[in-house]
Amino acid sequence: MKEVSGSFLSNNDKFYEISRLNNSDVDYIHFDVMDGKFVSNKNITVSELPKLIDFAKKKIDIHFMVNDPGKYIDKICFYNIDYITIHYEIKNLEDYIDKIKDYGFKVGIAVKPETDIEKIYYLLDKINLVLIMSVEPGKSGQTFINVSDKINKLKQEIINRKLNIKISVDGGINDEVLDYVKDCDILVSSSFILSDLDKNVDILKNR
């Protein structure tokens, strides 16, 4: 059975969307945080993020699509958060990894579709999750990019090294792409599951 992380649409009422996810069977609520620099969109401010986290009643999975995650992390360091994920492609990556670990959170590394998965292998001993992007980060509703080769490579590396790392995939996740992501542990979905929460969460978990 897969775990499902429900991502809310920040262009809608954020608290309403989170309340829907609170009352669903998702395992996590996935926060996409964008700064308008690493990606073109900006959606959740530094001051807004703690209020939204406080409203969530599920386990929390945060994906920072920002150049400087440090200022956000400092604001949420006292909250009960499961995973904080930052992008491989940012500067000072290992400093941020250390910061997240120092606060006691599990660390995730996200990779863009064009990033070679082997580039992050040197980090695997330091992290708990890899988030493979199956769309370009920053916009909802994009078409799924087939990243099954990347998933399979990473899975084999994790098995060979006997590591305890979860693989998550995010972008265009719906009932039509499940064969491509069968080796993942966590599926992140927004538009698909929000269109029919009970039915579509069950499909992602069990099909």
Side-chain angles (χ1 to χ4, degrees):
M1 180 184 288
K2 297 278 190 290
E3 291 184 296
V4 173
S5 192
S7 178
F8 57 93
L9 299 172
S10 59
N11 56 325
N12 295 341
D13 182 327
K14 299 181 185 73
F15 289 97
Y16 170 71
E17 297 286 15
I18 292 171
S19 70
R20 292 183 65 205
L21 293 170
N22 281 339
N23 292 304
S24 75
D25 286 332
V26 298
D27 301 282
Y28 303 88
I29 295 179
H30 183 90
F31 287 72
D32 282 320
V33 181
M34 312 174 209
D35 63 357
K37 297 173 184 176
F38 182 78
V39 295
S40 58
N41 289 338
K42 185 173 183 178
N43 66 335
I44 298 175
T45 65
V46 175
S47 60
E48 187 181 24
L49 182 58
K51 299 172 188 174
L52 294 171
I53 290 171
D54 199 41
F55 191 68
K57 305 305 178 191
K58 298 284 185 176
K59 292 185 290 186
I60 294 171
D61 159 32
I62 299 180
H63 175 199
F64 283 116
M65 291 174 267
V66 302
N67 284 332
D68 178 14
K71 61 184 180 181
Y72 294 88
I73 294 165
D74 288 337
K75 289 285 188 182
I76 60 175
C77 62
F78 297 111
Y79 287 88
N80 186 18
I81 297 163
D82 279 76
Y83 293 101
I84 292 181
T85 296
I86 57 178
H87 265 268
Y88 167 77
E89 299 86 4
I90 64 173
K91 295 178 180 178
N92 304 314
L93 174 64
E94 291 190 67
D95 290 339
Y96 290 123
I97 290 174
D98 290 340
K99 186 182 188 77
I100 294 168
K101 292 176 77 171
D102 286 345
Y103 278 133
F105 299 123
K106 293 177 183 175
V107 182
I109 294 296
V111 292
K112 292 182 177 181
E114 73 271 16
T115 298
D116 185 345
I117 196 63
E118 293 181 4
K119 288 184 175 180
I120 73 162
Y121 283 3
Y122 77 101
L123 296 168
L124 293 180
D125 289 316
K126 300 180 178 181
I127 66 174
N128 309 97
L129 177 141
V130 177
L131 175 61
I132 294 176
M133 297 300 298
S134 47
V135 297
E136 289 300 322
K139 295 180 181 178
S140 183
Q142 297 179 66
T143 302
F144 175 82
I145 297 168
N146 184 358
V147 290
S148 57
D149 286 348
K150 186 179 289 189
I151 294 167
N152 294 339
K153 269 188 181 180
L154 177 61
K155 187 79 168 182
Q156 196 57 53
E157 182 72 10
I158 290 169
I159 291 169
N160 289 345
R161 290 167 59 176
K162 298 181 173 61
L163 298 171
N164 184 21
I165 296 175
K166 289 190 176 183
I167 300 175
S168 181
V169 65
D170 180 6
I173 299 300
N174 58 37
D175 56 342
E176 297 178 355
V177 305
L178 296 182
D179 285 344
Y180 300 108
V181 297
K182 62 182 182 295
D183 288 325
C184 290
D185 303 293
I186 302 172
L187 301 176
V188 181
S189 181
S190 179
S191 302
F192 175 66
I193 63 167
L194 289 173
S195 65
D196 191 336
L197 260 173
D198 292 338
K199 174 186 173 184
N200 291 342
V201 169
D202 182 67
I203 287 172
L204 294 189
K205 282 190 174 195
N206 297 301
R207 182 172 294 179

PDB file of all heavy atoms in Angstrom, residues 1-3 130 132 147-156 158-159 165-169 177-187 207:
ATOM      1  N   MET A   1       0.837  -1.206   0.000  1.00  0.00           N
ATOM      2  CA  MET A   1       0.000   0.000   0.000  1.00  0.00           C
ATOM      3  C   MET A   1       0.866   1.248   0.000  1.00  0.00           C
ATOM      4  O   MET A   1       1.828   1.351   0.757  1.00  0.00           O
ATOM      5  CB  MET A   1      -0.921   0.008   1.224  1.00  0.00           C
ATOM      6  CG  MET A   1      -1.825   1.236   1.300  1.00  0.00           C
ATOM      7  SD  MET A   1      -2.837   1.307   2.795  1.00  0.00           S
ATOM      8  CE  MET A   1      -4.009   0.002   2.454  1.00  0.00           C
ATOM      9  N   LYS A   2       0.557   2.170  -0.867  1.00  0.00           N
ATOM     10  CA  LYS A   2       1.262   3.447  -0.938  1.00  0.00           C
ATOM     11  C   LYS A   2       0.755   4.406   0.140  1.00  0.00           C
ATOM     12  O   LYS A   2      -0.384   4.330   0.580  1.00  0.00           O
ATOM     13  CB  LYS A   2       1.036   4.103  -2.298  1.00  0.00           C
ATOM     14  CG  LYS A   2       1.578   3.324  -3.481  1.00  0.00           C
ATOM     15  CD  LYS A   2       3.057   3.583  -3.662  1.00  0.00           C
ATOM     16  CE  LYS A   2       3.569   3.006  -4.974  1.00  0.00           C
ATOM     17  NZ  LYS A   2       3.616   1.551  -5.007  1.00  0.00           N
ATOM     18  N   GLU A   3       1.624   5.343   0.541  1.00  0.00           N
ATOM     19  CA  GLU A   3       1.181   6.477   1.333  1.00  0.00           C
ATOM     20  C   GLU A   3       0.842   7.617   0.383  1.00  0.00           C
ATOM     21  O   GLU A   3       1.433   7.735  -0.702  1.00  0.00           O
ATOM     22  CB  GLU A   3       2.273   6.914   2.306  1.00  0.00           C
ATOM     23  CG  GLU A   3       2.541   5.916   3.417  1.00  0.00           C
ATOM     24  CD  GLU A   3       3.561   6.434   4.409  1.00  0.00           C
ATOM     25  OE1 GLU A   3       4.721   6.633   4.002  1.00  0.00           O
ATOM     26  OE2 GLU A   3       3.196   6.638   5.578  1.00  0.00           O
ATOM     27  N   VAL A 130      13.703  11.063  -0.758  1.00  0.00           N
ATOM     28  CA  VAL A 130      13.989  11.719  -2.041  1.00  0.00           C
ATOM     29  C   VAL A 130      12.664  11.991  -2.728  1.00  0.00           C
ATOM     30  O   VAL A 130      11.843  11.078  -2.896  1.00  0.00           O
ATOM     31  CB  VAL A 130      14.888  10.860  -2.947  1.00  0.00           C
ATOM     32  CG1 VAL A 130      15.092  11.556  -4.298  1.00  0.00           C
ATOM     33  CG2 VAL A 130      16.232  10.586  -2.275  1.00  0.00           C
ATOM     34  N   ILE A 132      11.123  12.953  -6.110  1.00  0.00           N
ATOM     35  CA  ILE A 132      11.388  13.030  -7.544  1.00  0.00           C
ATOM     36  C   ILE A 132      10.255  13.808  -8.195  1.00  0.00           C
ATOM     37  O   ILE A 132       9.087  13.418  -8.108  1.00  0.00           O
ATOM     38  CB  ILE A 132      11.514  11.619  -8.149  1.00  0.00           C
ATOM     39  CG1 ILE A 132      12.760  10.921  -7.576  1.00  0.00           C
ATOM     40  CG2 ILE A 132      11.579  11.675  -9.670  1.00  0.00           C
ATOM     41  CD1 ILE A 132      12.944   9.498  -8.033  1.00  0.00           C
ATOM     42  N   VAL A 147       9.214   9.412 -15.163  1.00  0.00           N
ATOM     43  CA  VAL A 147      10.488   9.381 -14.427  1.00  0.00           C
ATOM     44  C   VAL A 147      10.746   7.981 -13.862  1.00  0.00           C
ATOM     45  O   VAL A 147      11.479   7.816 -12.898  1.00  0.00           O
ATOM     46  CB  VAL A 147      10.498  10.432 -13.291  1.00  0.00           C
ATOM     47  CG1 VAL A 147      10.565  11.837 -13.858  1.00  0.00           C
ATOM     48  CG2 VAL A 147       9.276  10.275 -12.375  1.00  0.00           C
ATOM     49  N   SER A 148      10.145   6.964 -14.483  1.00  0.00           N
ATOM     50  CA  SER A 148      10.251   5.608 -13.940  1.00  0.00           C
ATOM     51  C   SER A 148      11.695   5.107 -13.927  1.00  0.00           C
ATOM     52  O   SER A 148      12.097   4.399 -12.988  1.00  0.00           O
ATOM     53  CB  SER A 148       9.351   4.639 -14.712  1.00  0.00           C
ATOM     54  OG  SER A 148       9.660   4.642 -16.090  1.00  0.00           O
ATOM     55  N   ASP A 149      12.512   5.458 -14.937  1.00  0.00           N
ATOM     56  CA  ASP A 149      13.910   5.029 -14.938  1.00  0.00           C
ATOM     57  C   ASP A 149      14.660   5.615 -13.746  1.00  0.00           C
ATOM     58  O   ASP A 149      15.481   4.937 -13.117  1.00  0.00           O
ATOM     59  CB  ASP A 149      14.599   5.445 -16.246  1.00  0.00           C
ATOM     60  CG  ASP A 149      14.177   4.587 -17.425  1.00  0.00           C
ATOM     61  OD1 ASP A 149      13.544   3.538 -17.185  1.00  0.00           O
ATOM     62  OD2 ASP A 149      14.458   4.966 -18.570  1.00  0.00           O
ATOM     63  N   LYS A 150      14.380   6.865 -13.448  1.00  0.00           N
ATOM     64  CA  LYS A 150      15.022   7.534 -12.326  1.00  0.00           C
ATOM     65  C   LYS A 150      14.610   6.872 -11.001  1.00  0.00           C
ATOM     66  O   LYS A 150      15.440   6.652 -10.120  1.00  0.00           O
ATOM     67  CB  LYS A 150      14.623   9.014 -12.335  1.00  0.00           C
ATOM     68  CG  LYS A 150      15.320   9.866 -11.315  1.00  0.00           C
ATOM     69  CD  LYS A 150      14.867  11.327 -11.412  1.00  0.00           C
ATOM     70  CE  LYS A 150      15.393  12.005 -12.641  1.00  0.00           C
ATOM     71  NZ  LYS A 150      15.124  13.458 -12.616  1.00  0.00           N
ATOM     72  N   ILE A 151      13.327   6.566 -10.889  1.00  0.00           N
ATOM     73  CA  ILE A 151      12.828   5.891  -9.688  1.00  0.00           C
ATOM     74  C   ILE A 151      13.500   4.535  -9.522  1.00  0.00           C
ATOM     75  O   ILE A 151      13.955   4.174  -8.429  1.00  0.00           O
ATOM     76  CB  ILE A 151      11.300   5.726  -9.764  1.00  0.00           C
ATOM     77  CG1 ILE A 151      10.602   7.089  -9.734  1.00  0.00           C
ATOM     78  CG2 ILE A 151      10.789   4.846  -8.621  1.00  0.00           C
ATOM     79  CD1 ILE A 151       9.126   7.029 -10.118  1.00  0.00           C
ATOM     80  N   ASN A 152      13.559   3.772 -10.596  1.00  0.00           N
ATOM     81  CA  ASN A 152      14.129   2.424 -10.530  1.00  0.00           C
ATOM     82  C   ASN A 152      15.609   2.455 -10.151  1.00  0.00           C
ATOM     83  O   ASN A 152      16.078   1.631  -9.354  1.00  0.00           O
ATOM     84  CB  ASN A 152      13.950   1.710 -11.869  1.00  0.00           C
ATOM     85  CG  ASN A 152      12.489   1.455 -12.194  1.00  0.00           C
ATOM     86  OD1 ASN A 152      11.644   1.444 -11.299  1.00  0.00           O
ATOM     87  ND2 ASN A 152      12.176   1.264 -13.461  1.00  0.00           N
ATOM     88  N   LYS A 153      16.364   3.387 -10.733  1.00  0.00           N
ATOM     89  CA  LYS A 153      17.789   3.534 -10.405  1.00  0.00           C
ATOM     90  C   LYS A 153      17.982   3.835  -8.927  1.00  0.00           C
ATOM     91  O   LYS A 153      18.820   3.248  -8.249  1.00  0.00           O
ATOM     92  CB  LYS A 153      18.395   4.692 -11.218  1.00  0.00           C
ATOM     93  CG  LYS A 153      18.990   4.328 -12.540  1.00  0.00           C
ATOM     94  CD  LYS A 153      19.698   5.569 -13.071  1.00  0.00           C
ATOM     95  CE  LYS A 153      20.325   5.301 -14.420  1.00  0.00           C
ATOM     96  NZ  LYS A 153      21.003   6.523 -14.919  1.00  0.00           N
ATOM     97  N   LEU A 154      17.208   4.793  -8.446  1.00  0.00           N
ATOM     98  CA  LEU A 154      17.324   5.195  -7.044  1.00  0.00           C
ATOM     99  C   LEU A 154      16.934   4.050  -6.114  1.00  0.00           C
ATOM    100  O   LEU A 154      17.606   3.799  -5.103  1.00  0.00           O
ATOM    101  CB  LEU A 154      16.457   6.424  -6.781  1.00  0.00           C
ATOM    102  CG  LEU A 154      16.423   6.913  -5.331  1.00  0.00           C
ATOM    103  CD1 LEU A 154      17.814   7.325  -4.864  1.00  0.00           C
ATOM    104  CD2 LEU A 154      15.439   8.077  -5.188  1.00  0.00           C
ATOM    105  N   LYS A 155      15.859   3.368  -6.441  1.00  0.00           N
ATOM    106  CA  LYS A 155      15.400   2.236  -5.618  1.00  0.00           C
ATOM    107  C   LYS A 155      16.498   1.188  -5.487  1.00  0.00           C
ATOM    108  O   LYS A 155      16.756   0.657  -4.398  1.00  0.00           O
ATOM    109  CB  LYS A 155      14.145   1.627  -6.246  1.00  0.00           C
ATOM    110  CG  LYS A 155      13.478   0.550  -5.408  1.00  0.00           C
ATOM    111  CD  LYS A 155      12.659   1.174  -4.300  1.00  0.00           C
ATOM    112  CE  LYS A 155      11.767   0.167  -3.627  1.00  0.00           C
ATOM    113  NZ  LYS A 155      10.927   0.779  -2.588  1.00  0.00           N
ATOM    114  N   GLN A 156      17.150   0.878  -6.597  1.00  0.00           N
ATOM    115  CA  GLN A 156      18.204  -0.140  -6.580  1.00  0.00           C
ATOM    116  C   GLN A 156      19.393   0.316  -5.739  1.00  0.00           C
ATOM    117  O   GLN A 156      19.982  -0.478  -4.990  1.00  0.00           O
ATOM    118  CB  GLN A 156      18.652  -0.460  -8.001  1.00  0.00           C
ATOM    119  CG  GLN A 156      19.453  -1.745  -8.109  1.00  0.00           C
ATOM    120  CD  GLN A 156      18.694  -2.952  -7.574  1.00  0.00           C
ATOM    121  OE1 GLN A 156      17.573  -3.232  -7.962  1.00  0.00           O
ATOM    122  NE2 GLN A 156      19.309  -3.670  -6.629  1.00  0.00           N
ATOM    123  N   ILE A 158      19.296   2.372  -3.183  1.00  0.00           N
ATOM    124  CA  ILE A 158      18.874   2.299  -1.775  1.00  0.00           C
ATOM    125  C   ILE A 158      18.937   0.866  -1.264  1.00  0.00           C
ATOM    126  O   ILE A 158      19.423   0.598  -0.159  1.00  0.00           O
ATOM    127  CB  ILE A 158      17.449   2.872  -1.628  1.00  0.00           C
ATOM    128  CG1 ILE A 158      17.461   4.393  -1.844  1.00  0.00           C
ATOM    129  CG2 ILE A 158      16.857   2.536  -0.262  1.00  0.00           C
ATOM    130  CD1 ILE A 158      16.078   5.011  -1.969  1.00  0.00           C
ATOM    131  N   ILE A 159      18.467  -0.075  -2.084  1.00  0.00           N
ATOM    132  CA  ILE A 159      18.504  -1.497  -1.695  1.00  0.00           C
ATOM    133  C   ILE A 159      19.940  -1.980  -1.562  1.00  0.00           C
ATOM    134  O   ILE A 159      20.308  -2.644  -0.580  1.00  0.00           O
ATOM    135  CB  ILE A 159      17.729  -2.346  -2.724  1.00  0.00           C
ATOM    136  CG1 ILE A 159      16.237  -2.055  -2.634  1.00  0.00           C
ATOM    137  CG2 ILE A 159      17.997  -3.840  -2.498  1.00  0.00           C
ATOM    138  CD1 ILE A 159      15.420  -2.647  -3.774  1.00  0.00           C
ATOM    139  N   ILE A 165      15.416   4.894   3.238  1.00  0.00           N
ATOM    140  CA  ILE A 165      15.027   6.145   2.578  1.00  0.00           C
ATOM    141  C   ILE A 165      13.738   5.914   1.807  1.00  0.00           C
ATOM    142  O   ILE A 165      13.615   4.933   1.065  1.00  0.00           O
ATOM    143  CB  ILE A 165      16.122   6.631   1.609  1.00  0.00           C
ATOM    144  CG1 ILE A 165      17.398   6.978   2.381  1.00  0.00           C
ATOM    145  CG2 ILE A 165      15.652   7.833   0.801  1.00  0.00           C
ATOM    146  CD1 ILE A 165      18.554   7.355   1.488  1.00  0.00           C
ATOM    147  N   LYS A 166      12.789   6.813   1.966  1.00  0.00           N
ATOM    148  CA  LYS A 166      11.553   6.733   1.197  1.00  0.00           C
ATOM    149  C   LYS A 166      11.703   7.500  -0.112  1.00  0.00           C
ATOM    150  O   LYS A 166      12.380   8.530  -0.169  1.00  0.00           O
ATOM    151  CB  LYS A 166      10.378   7.287   2.002  1.00  0.00           C
ATOM    152  CG  LYS A 166       9.974   6.390   3.161  1.00  0.00           C
ATOM    153  CD  LYS A 166       8.671   6.835   3.799  1.00  0.00           C
ATOM    154  CE  LYS A 166       8.238   5.866   4.889  1.00  0.00           C
ATOM    155  NZ  LYS A 166       6.931   6.220   5.481  1.00  0.00           N
ATOM    156  N   ILE A 167      11.035   6.980  -1.130  1.00  0.00           N
ATOM    157  CA  ILE A 167      10.977   7.668  -2.422  1.00  0.00           C
ATOM    158  C   ILE A 167       9.575   8.225  -2.597  1.00  0.00           C
ATOM    159  O   ILE A 167       8.584   7.498  -2.494  1.00  0.00           O
ATOM    160  CB  ILE A 167      11.307   6.715  -3.589  1.00  0.00           C
ATOM    161  CG1 ILE A 167      12.711   6.124  -3.431  1.00  0.00           C
ATOM    162  CG2 ILE A 167      11.185   7.456  -4.917  1.00  0.00           C
ATOM    163  CD1 ILE A 167      13.053   5.081  -4.470  1.00  0.00           C
ATOM    164  N   SER A 168       9.517   9.517  -2.853  1.00  0.00           N
ATOM    165  CA  SER A 168       8.252  10.200  -3.106  1.00  0.00           C
ATOM    166  C   SER A 168       8.279  10.751  -4.522  1.00  0.00           C
ATOM    167  O   SER A 168       9.352  11.060  -5.059  1.00  0.00           O
ATOM    168  CB  SER A 168       8.086  11.339  -2.080  1.00  0.00           C
ATOM    169  OG  SER A 168       6.878  12.031  -2.261  1.00  0.00           O
ATOM    170  N   VAL A 169       7.122  10.861  -5.133  1.00  0.00           N
ATOM    171  CA  VAL A 169       7.048  11.440  -6.480  1.00  0.00           C
ATOM    172  C   VAL A 169       5.909  12.441  -6.512  1.00  0.00           C
ATOM    173  O   VAL A 169       4.858  12.242  -5.900  1.00  0.00           O
ATOM    174  CB  VAL A 169       6.885  10.347  -7.562  1.00  0.00           C
ATOM    175  CG1 VAL A 169       5.571   9.621  -7.423  1.00  0.00           C
ATOM    176  CG2 VAL A 169       7.043  10.915  -8.965  1.00  0.00           C
ATOM    177  N   VAL A 177      -1.194   7.087 -14.230  1.00  0.00           N
ATOM    178  CA  VAL A 177       0.270   7.018 -14.231  1.00  0.00           C
ATOM    179  C   VAL A 177       0.825   6.054 -13.175  1.00  0.00           C
ATOM    180  O   VAL A 177       2.038   5.996 -12.970  1.00  0.00           O
ATOM    181  CB  VAL A 177       0.889   8.431 -14.032  1.00  0.00           C
ATOM    182  CG1 VAL A 177       0.351   9.403 -15.076  1.00  0.00           C
ATOM    183  CG2 VAL A 177       0.648   8.968 -12.625  1.00  0.00           C
ATOM    184  N   LEU A 178      -0.029   5.303 -12.535  1.00  0.00           N
ATOM    185  CA  LEU A 178       0.403   4.502 -11.385  1.00  0.00           C
ATOM    186  C   LEU A 178       1.414   3.416 -11.753  1.00  0.00           C
ATOM    187  O   LEU A 178       2.264   3.069 -10.938  1.00  0.00           O
ATOM    188  CB  LEU A 178      -0.811   3.894 -10.690  1.00  0.00           C
ATOM    189  CG  LEU A 178      -1.771   4.918 -10.058  1.00  0.00           C
ATOM    190  CD1 LEU A 178      -2.918   4.212  -9.351  1.00  0.00           C
ATOM    191  CD2 LEU A 178      -1.035   5.836  -9.094  1.00  0.00           C
ATOM    192  N   ASP A 179       1.356   2.898 -12.959  1.00  0.00           N
ATOM    193  CA  ASP A 179       2.334   1.890 -13.370  1.00  0.00           C
ATOM    194  C   ASP A 179       3.747   2.463 -13.404  1.00  0.00           C
ATOM    195  O   ASP A 179       4.728   1.731 -13.201  1.00  0.00           O
ATOM    196  CB  ASP A 179       1.988   1.321 -14.751  1.00  0.00           C
ATOM    197  CG  ASP A 179       0.824   0.348 -14.700  1.00  0.00           C
ATOM    198  OD1 ASP A 179       0.485  -0.114 -13.590  1.00  0.00           O
ATOM    199  OD2 ASP A 179       0.245   0.064 -15.762  1.00  0.00           O
ATOM    200  N   TYR A 180       3.871   3.765 -13.670  1.00  0.00           N
ATOM    201  CA  TYR A 180       5.183   4.400 -13.766  1.00  0.00           C
ATOM    202  C   TYR A 180       5.793   4.701 -12.394  1.00  0.00           C
ATOM    203  O   TYR A 180       6.997   4.953 -12.299  1.00  0.00           O
ATOM    204  CB  TYR A 180       5.084   5.708 -14.556  1.00  0.00           C
ATOM    205  CG  TYR A 180       4.574   5.535 -15.962  1.00  0.00           C
ATOM    206  CD1 TYR A 180       3.291   5.951 -16.316  1.00  0.00           C
ATOM    207  CD2 TYR A 180       5.375   4.957 -16.947  1.00  0.00           C
ATOM    208  CE1 TYR A 180       2.822   5.802 -17.600  1.00  0.00           C
ATOM    209  CE2 TYR A 180       4.904   4.795 -18.244  1.00  0.00           C
ATOM    210  CZ  TYR A 180       3.620   5.218 -18.563  1.00  0.00           C
ATOM    211  OH  TYR A 180       3.148   5.065 -19.845  1.00  0.00           O
ATOM    212  N   VAL A 181       4.968   4.696 -11.357  1.00  0.00           N
ATOM    213  CA  VAL A 181       5.451   5.089 -10.023  1.00  0.00           C
ATOM    214  C   VAL A 181       5.271   3.969  -9.007  1.00  0.00           C
ATOM    215  O   VAL A 181       5.240   4.215  -7.810  1.00  0.00           O
ATOM    216  CB  VAL A 181       4.745   6.385  -9.551  1.00  0.00           C
ATOM    217  CG1 VAL A 181       5.080   7.548 -10.473  1.00  0.00           C
ATOM    218  CG2 VAL A 181       3.229   6.209  -9.462  1.00  0.00           C
ATOM    219  N   LYS A 182       5.190   2.745  -9.483  1.00  0.00           N
ATOM    220  CA  LYS A 182       4.878   1.620  -8.606  1.00  0.00           C
ATOM    221  C   LYS A 182       5.964   1.354  -7.574  1.00  0.00           C
ATOM    222  O   LYS A 182       5.702   0.731  -6.539  1.00  0.00           O
ATOM    223  CB  LYS A 182       4.588   0.363  -9.420  1.00  0.00           C
ATOM    224  CG  LYS A 182       5.716  -0.144 -10.282  1.00  0.00           C
ATOM    225  CD  LYS A 182       5.286  -1.367 -11.072  1.00  0.00           C
ATOM    226  CE  LYS A 182       6.394  -1.946 -11.922  1.00  0.00           C
ATOM    227  NZ  LYS A 182       6.826  -1.038 -13.000  1.00  0.00           N
ATOM    228  N   ASP A 183       7.191   1.790  -7.810  1.00  0.00           N
ATOM    229  CA  ASP A 183       8.278   1.554  -6.863  1.00  0.00           C
ATOM    230  C   ASP A 183       8.473   2.693  -5.876  1.00  0.00           C
ATOM    231  O   ASP A 183       9.448   2.699  -5.123  1.00  0.00           O
ATOM    232  CB  ASP A 183       9.590   1.306  -7.618  1.00  0.00           C
ATOM    233  CG  ASP A 183       9.604  -0.049  -8.302  1.00  0.00           C
ATOM    234  OD1 ASP A 183       9.028  -0.993  -7.730  1.00  0.00           O
ATOM    235  OD2 ASP A 183      10.174  -0.168  -9.399  1.00  0.00           O
ATOM    236  N   CYS A 184       7.558   3.641  -5.866  1.00  0.00           N
ATOM    237  CA  CYS A 184       7.623   4.746  -4.900  1.00  0.00           C
ATOM    238  C   CYS A 184       6.916   4.362  -3.601  1.00  0.00           C
ATOM    239  O   CYS A 184       6.093   3.458  -3.566  1.00  0.00           O
ATOM    240  CB  CYS A 184       6.964   5.989  -5.478  1.00  0.00           C
ATOM    241  SG  CYS A 184       7.888   6.722  -6.821  1.00  0.00           S
ATOM    242  N   ASP A 185       7.235   5.108  -2.561  1.00  0.00           N
ATOM    243  CA  ASP A 185       6.607   4.898  -1.256  1.00  0.00           C
ATOM    244  C   ASP A 185       5.489   5.903  -0.991  1.00  0.00           C
ATOM    245  O   ASP A 185       4.495   5.577  -0.351  1.00  0.00           O
ATOM    246  CB  ASP A 185       7.652   5.026  -0.145  1.00  0.00           C
ATOM    247  CG  ASP A 185       8.809   4.070  -0.330  1.00  0.00           C
ATOM    248  OD1 ASP A 185       8.582   2.849  -0.221  1.00  0.00           O
ATOM    249  OD2 ASP A 185       9.931   4.532  -0.614  1.00  0.00           O
ATOM    250  N   ILE A 186       5.681   7.138  -1.461  1.00  0.00           N
ATOM    251  CA  ILE A 186       4.719   8.213  -1.209  1.00  0.00           C
ATOM    252  C   ILE A 186       4.342   8.865  -2.531  1.00  0.00           C
ATOM    253  O   ILE A 186       5.215   9.222  -3.334  1.00  0.00           O
ATOM    254  CB  ILE A 186       5.308   9.287  -0.266  1.00  0.00           C
ATOM    255  CG1 ILE A 186       5.741   8.658   1.061  1.00  0.00           C
ATOM    256  CG2 ILE A 186       4.303  10.406  -0.021  1.00  0.00           C
ATOM    257  CD1 ILE A 186       6.504   9.625   1.976  1.00  0.00           C
ATOM    258  N   LEU A 187       3.044   9.024  -2.760  1.00  0.00           N
ATOM    259  CA  LEU A 187       2.548   9.724  -3.941  1.00  0.00           C
ATOM    260  C   LEU A 187       1.967  11.071  -3.505  1.00  0.00           C
ATOM    261  O   LEU A 187       1.097  11.120  -2.641  1.00  0.00           O
ATOM    262  CB  LEU A 187       1.465   8.900  -4.640  1.00  0.00           C
ATOM    263  CG  LEU A 187       1.886   7.510  -5.124  1.00  0.00           C
ATOM    264  CD1 LEU A 187       0.681   6.780  -5.718  1.00  0.00           C
ATOM    265  CD2 LEU A 187       3.012   7.597  -6.144  1.00  0.00           C
ATOM    266  N   ARG A 207      -4.328   0.803  -5.598  1.00  0.00           N
ATOM    267  CA  ARG A 207      -4.300   0.189  -6.930  1.00  0.00           C
ATOM    268  C   ARG A 207      -2.878  -0.229  -7.282  1.00  0.00           C
ATOM    269  O   ARG A 207      -1.937   0.468  -6.985  1.00  0.00           O
ATOM    270  CB  ARG A 207      -4.826   1.162  -7.981  1.00  0.00           C
ATOM    271  CG  ARG A 207      -4.868   0.534  -9.364  1.00  0.00           C
ATOM    272  CD  ARG A 207      -5.548   1.406 -10.385  1.00  0.00           C
ATOM    273  NE  ARG A 207      -6.960   1.583 -10.096  1.00  0.00           N
ATOM    274  CZ  ARG A 207      -7.791   2.330 -10.830  1.00  0.00           C
ATOM    275  NH1 ARG A 207      -7.304   2.980 -11.892  1.00  0.00           N
ATOM    276  NH2 ARG A 207      -9.057   2.460 -10.525  1.00  0.00           N
TER     277      ARG A 207
END
